[in-house]
Amino acid sequence: LEARRVRGSIIWGILAAIVILAAIVPVVMVQSRVLSAPYYERPRELIQELSARPTDFLVTPTPEWLQFVGLSHWHEPGRWKLSPGLLKVALAFFGLVVGLRSCPRRNWTLTWLAVSAGAFLGSLGLNFQIAGWCPYATLLDWFPTLTRLRTPARMSVLVQIAVVFLAAEALLWMYRRARIVVRKANFGRPGVGVRTTFEFGLFWLIGIAACCEVPLRRMSFVDVPSMESQKAWIDWLKNNTAEDAVIAHVPFPKGPLPRDYESEAWAMYWGLFHHRRMVNGYSGFFPASY
């Protein structure tokens, strides 16, 4: 029976690999051809600047209820704030311990441990070295295509996701323990009912606190102008240019910040209505020809 399960897993793994390759190979082939030009490579200085540092994981994006006491001062102002929160990190370590001790949960726990550790080291990029050797630099030498990756620090998202799942593992253990206490409760014995209430209350308190310890940043929305306010020039463009015409919206952005490229975002939005190709665009790459 075990051998049959292994063969079944191998067959399904092969089929999954075929489906995945069929989906991504056409895209990768086109990207490889387009990105073969040398000006699409990122300078290593830029890659290192956009790599995370271990101290970036000590501070949350918005003020949290709890702080890494005595450690947050190591964080350099102006850099990323990548911590998912002190309570979630503490729960994740506890969930790692209880998950590894549980045979049914061990593989699941090891999976998220591998994800978090791999993503953490990957997010450090060129800032991670072992006795002067930088694994990420070696990867760049072996796989030059990785130089197209501008911001290794974005792998920190996987670290944060793994922390949440491992913290949930701790909460699951607490919930099961609370249920065991309820089953064993004998309300004829003094104090057992109080202990049961305390167990469940503590579980819910910790769980809610972990969810709310880092307040979400207030989102600001953009008012999209009505199509009617732009109808005049869009209709003129559609009536006085060929369908294969190429247009340009001026002036072009004059700065490197995201807000400087807001005009490009609007140009692309109005392009949904006039259907003309544009030299405008929003990208992390700016070829010399642009």
Side-chain angles (χ1 to χ4, degrees):
L1 182 61
E2 186 65 26
R4 186 180 302 174
R5 288 180 179 176
V6 172
R7 286 197 299 269
S9 299
I10 293 175
I11 292 174
W12 280 111
I14 294 174
L15 291 175
I18 293 174
V19 172
I20 292 172
L21 290 175
I24 68 173
V25 164
V27 178
V28 171
M29 295 294 291
V30 175
Q31 287 184 335
S32 178
R33 184 176 68 253
V34 172
L35 297 176
S36 61
Y39 46 72
Y40 280 119
E41 293 186 3
R42 310 282 190 186
R44 295 207 176 187
E45 294 78 10
L46 177 63
I47 296 175
Q48 183 169 13
E49 180 183 351
L50 298 179
S51 298
R53 298 176 185 173
T55 53
D56 295 340
F57 290 87
L58 300 177
V59 181
T60 55
T62 55
E64 61 176 331
W65 294 353
L66 302 173
Q67 298 287 336
F68 283 93
V69 180
L71 297 178
S72 58
H73 71 277
W74 292 101
H75 179 262
E76 181 180 330
R79 288 193 57 82
W80 285 291
K81 300 176 180 180
L82 305 177
S83 170
L86 174 59
L87 183 55
K88 282 190 283 292
V89 172
L91 283 173
F93 278 110
F94 184 69
L96 181 63
V97 173
V98 297
L100 292 177
R101 293 180 61 184
S102 171
C103 290
R105 308 295 299 175
R106 187 169 299 152
N107 289 341
W108 175 257
T109 304
L110 286 172
T111 297
W112 286 111
L113 174 61
V115 169
S116 60
F120 174 74
L121 295 179
S123 68
L124 300 182
L126 294 176
N127 289 329
F128 174 65
Q129 296 186 2
I130 304 175
W133 171 59
C134 180
Y136 198 85
T138 302
L139 284 176
L140 294 181
D141 294 334
W142 289 354
F143 305 102
T145 304
L146 284 177
T147 58
R148 275 73 169 177
L149 181 63
R150 177 178 56 181
T151 313
R154 288 175 178 165
M155 297 184 197
S156 61
V157 172
L158 293 177
V159 179
Q160 297 163 353
I161 292 174
V163 165
V164 170
F165 274 98
L166 290 173
E169 197 69 29
L171 292 174
L172 177 63
W173 181 87
M174 295 171 59
Y175 174 72
R176 288 175 173 173
R177 178 172 176 81
R179 291 193 62 181
I180 292 174
V181 173
V182 170
R183 290 195 191 100
K184 293 182 177 180
N186 181 356
F187 294 99
R189 295 188 317 185
V192 176
V194 175
R195 181 184 172 189
T196 301
T197 304
F198 175 78
E199 292 271 358
F200 266 113
L202 183 62
F203 161 74
W204 283 106
L205 178 63
I206 294 177
I208 293 174
C211 292
C212 302
E213 64 172 330
V214 182
L216 295 177
R217 189 185 301 275
R218 182 179 295 275
M219 301 297 293
S220 58
F221 294 91
V222 175
D223 292 327
V224 179
S226 168
M227 167 60 185
E228 296 299 321
S229 65
Q230 311 293 321
K231 192 174 186 299
W233 72 268
I234 290 178
D235 287 345
W236 184 94
L237 190 65
K238 294 173 67 175
N239 295 330
N240 292 274
T241 59
E243 292 185 358
D244 60 350
V246 180
I247 67 170
H249 287 253
V250 292
F252 289 111
K254 297 181 179 179
L257 301 178
R259 62 173 175 267
D260 297 319
Y261 286 86
E262 183 178 346
S263 60
E264 301 295 274
W266 285 117
M268 291 187 289
Y269 176 71
W270 300 124
L272 297 175
F273 301 96
H274 59 66
H275 303 293
R276 297 297 184 267
R277 293 180 296 170
M278 297 179 295
V279 297
N280 304 81
Y282 199 116
S283 173
F285 284 115
F286 288 92
S289 56
Y290 183 81

